[in-house]
Amino acid sequence: MPRTRLPFAALSLASASALLVAGCSQSSDASEKTADSAAPAATATGKKPAPFSEGKVKVALVRQSGAGDYFEQWGNGAKAQAKALGIDLTVYDAQADNAKQATDLSSAINSGAKTIIVDHGFPATIQPEIDKAVKKGIKVVVYDVETTNKSVVSTKQDDASMAQAVLDVMADELGEDAKVGYVNVAGYAALDKRDSVWKKTADANGWKQAFKVGKVTDSTATDNVPLVSAALTQHSDVAGVFAPYDELAKGTVLAVQNKKLQDKVKVFGADVSNADIQNMTAKDSPWVATAGTDPSAVGAAVVRTAALELAGQLNETSVEFPAVAITQSFLKSKNIANMDQLREALPALNLAKVSTADWIPNVAH
């Protein structure tokens, strides 16, 4: 989602929007200083502009992350890029608690941060705090969050392209007039955008939607298994199910397998991570296609976007990260088992040229 996550993807997801979209595990930590990340940084050649030329720059990352390694990878990419830039990054993560995210954002405003990055979240909850930050002169960059404040820089996965990429595969696999199922949740920016594409594509192909179920919790994948299982009990003749967030897709896969329908029902998801790749390539997996961005590269690119905005060099108010379709057959034919191998096989996932400058040591894969 994916976010976004839910990350949405992360909800990206992410978020998710990375949500997301972007599931969401609970945490009592109000904030944490960032740790090291594994992503290597390319060497910067240009002279740092102010305020980066003056020493460490204080930045806050206010997250609404969810379950699954999409959000972890997104966070690792963001932390690695921040470290490479000399950013003093403080991370707040509400993890499914909307009220806490508003409180976290208020804390970030009062922390002395020059820039605040907001990763996923419900607009109604955080918009007032975003407005307060802008009024105080703090630069605000959001990821997969719908905001009405025109001073805010918006970054996001291209969720329309993500949904369309995987739904094109679904159309090729199922053809027209198929009976289908749908697993999604309203209220997340990324998932709502994917829903719009779903409705248009389903209508264009004459698909008959037999059911729609889904919820986002602190255990999204697990908690959707009984919902999808119950729907499949009544509609075991569906040819495919679209679940446009990887935690929803994981729950759908388990439900299909529990009902022993993996030879009859194909699952089409969204977002991609190590766990998703393992799930898709497992023996008898019904998850035949997904679409996504590299969550680590996205997290890094969002931090670069914030750095450019703070330095007065961004010159745009919206940055989108395009998605790539990924099929089970492609993963198996290339013997891909993790994100590192997928990055090598699909260079389109690399966001190294997005939101960058010669003074930025780029950590995108």
Side-chain angles (χ1 to χ4, degrees):
M1 143 225 72
R3 230 238 299 256
T4 326
R5 219 270 216 153
L6 305 285
F8 324 155
L11 318 306
S12 117
L13 293 247
S15 139
S17 238
L19 30 277
L20 355 37
V21 197
C24 315
S25 57
Q26 297 294 328
S27 171
S28 59
D29 294 337
S31 66
E32 62 172 319
K33 288 290 183 179
T34 61
D36 292 348
S37 173
T43 302
T45 59
K47 182 179 179 181
K48 290 182 179 181
F52 296 93
S53 59
E54 302 164 3
K56 282 190 175 293
V57 178
K58 191 173 182 60
V59 174
L61 171 58
V62 181
R63 307 192 72 193
Q64 179 72 290
S65 74
D69 61 354
Y70 177 92
F71 287 102
E72 181 180 0
Q73 290 186 49
W74 195 105
N76 286 342
K79 293 172 187 178
Q81 185 64 76
K83 181 179 179 180
L85 277 163
I87 287 174
D88 178 11
L89 186 70
T90 299
V91 180
Y92 304 78
D93 197 344
Q95 297 186 332
D97 187 333
N98 296 324
K100 184 176 184 300
Q101 189 178 24
T103 300
D104 287 347
L105 190 46
S106 179
S107 297
I109 291 170
N110 296 321
S111 72
K114 292 183 178 293
T115 300
I116 297 175
I117 300 170
V118 183
D119 170 28
H120 291 101
F122 283 99
T125 305
I126 58 178
Q127 186 65 58
E129 297 300 326
I130 289 175
D131 292 339
K132 289 178 185 177
V134 171
K135 286 181 180 179
K136 289 193 67 172
I138 300 171
K139 299 291 186 181
V140 178
V141 175
V142 300
Y143 176 70
D144 265 346
V145 176
E146 294 296 329
T147 176
T148 57
N149 195 309
K150 297 186 183 301
S151 296
V152 172
V153 174
S154 176
T155 68
K156 63 190 75 175
Q157 294 182 124
D158 187 345
D159 287 291
S161 77
M162 178 180 291
Q164 195 63 66
V166 72
L167 286 171
D168 286 346
V169 178
M170 187 171 179
D172 288 341
E173 292 278 343
L174 303 186
E176 296 182 347
D177 303 320
K179 187 174 181 180
V180 297
Y182 187 36
V183 184
N184 201 1
V185 183
Y188 295 89
L191 295 183
D192 289 343
K193 291 171 185 173
R194 298 172 195 183
D195 176 69
S196 296
V197 178
W198 161 256
K199 289 175 180 175
K200 293 178 183 178
T201 305
D203 182 65
N205 286 280
W207 291 338
K208 302 172 182 63
Q209 184 176 304
F211 63 82
K212 179 185 178 183
V213 297
K215 63 180 178 180
V216 169
T217 69
D218 58 355
S219 301
T220 298
T222 301
D223 290 344
N224 276 276
V225 175
L227 298 180
V228 182
S229 293
L232 290 172
T233 297
Q234 297 182 17
H235 305 284
S236 60
D237 58 339
V238 295
V241 180
F242 182 46
Y245 163 38
D246 56 355
E247 293 302 303
L248 294 175
K250 291 175 187 176
T252 301
V253 166
L254 286 171
V256 170
Q257 292 172 329
N258 288 346
K259 302 300 292 185
K260 301 187 184 306
L261 293 171
Q262 57 265 37
D263 293 332
K264 299 179 180 179
V265 180
K266 297 178 179 180
V267 177
F268 302 84
D271 305 315
V272 64
S273 68
N274 288 328
D276 298 339
I277 292 171
Q278 292 166 13
N279 200 315
M280 290 178 70
T281 56
K283 183 179 179 181
D284 298 326
S285 172
W287 190 350
V288 299
T290 191
T293 55
D294 175 356
S296 179
V298 169
V302 172
V303 172
R304 293 197 302 274
T305 301
L308 288 170
E309 172 67 2
L310 186 55
Q313 297 182 5
L314 185 61
N315 301 320
E316 55 186 326
T317 59
S318 180
V319 179
E320 287 192 341
F321 311 119
V324 180
I326 302 154
T327 64
Q328 182 188 70
S329 60
F330 175 81
L331 295 174
K332 288 185 173 180
S333 68
K334 301 292 185 179
N335 293 316
I336 294 170
N338 54 52
M339 285 297 300
D340 286 338
Q341 294 172 348
L342 182 61
R343 291 177 187 112
E344 289 186 17
L346 275 180
L349 288 171
N350 191 332
L351 298 176
K353 295 183 179 180
V354 177
S355 292
T356 192
D358 61 4
W359 57 272
I360 295 178
N362 196 315
V363 301
H365 293 275

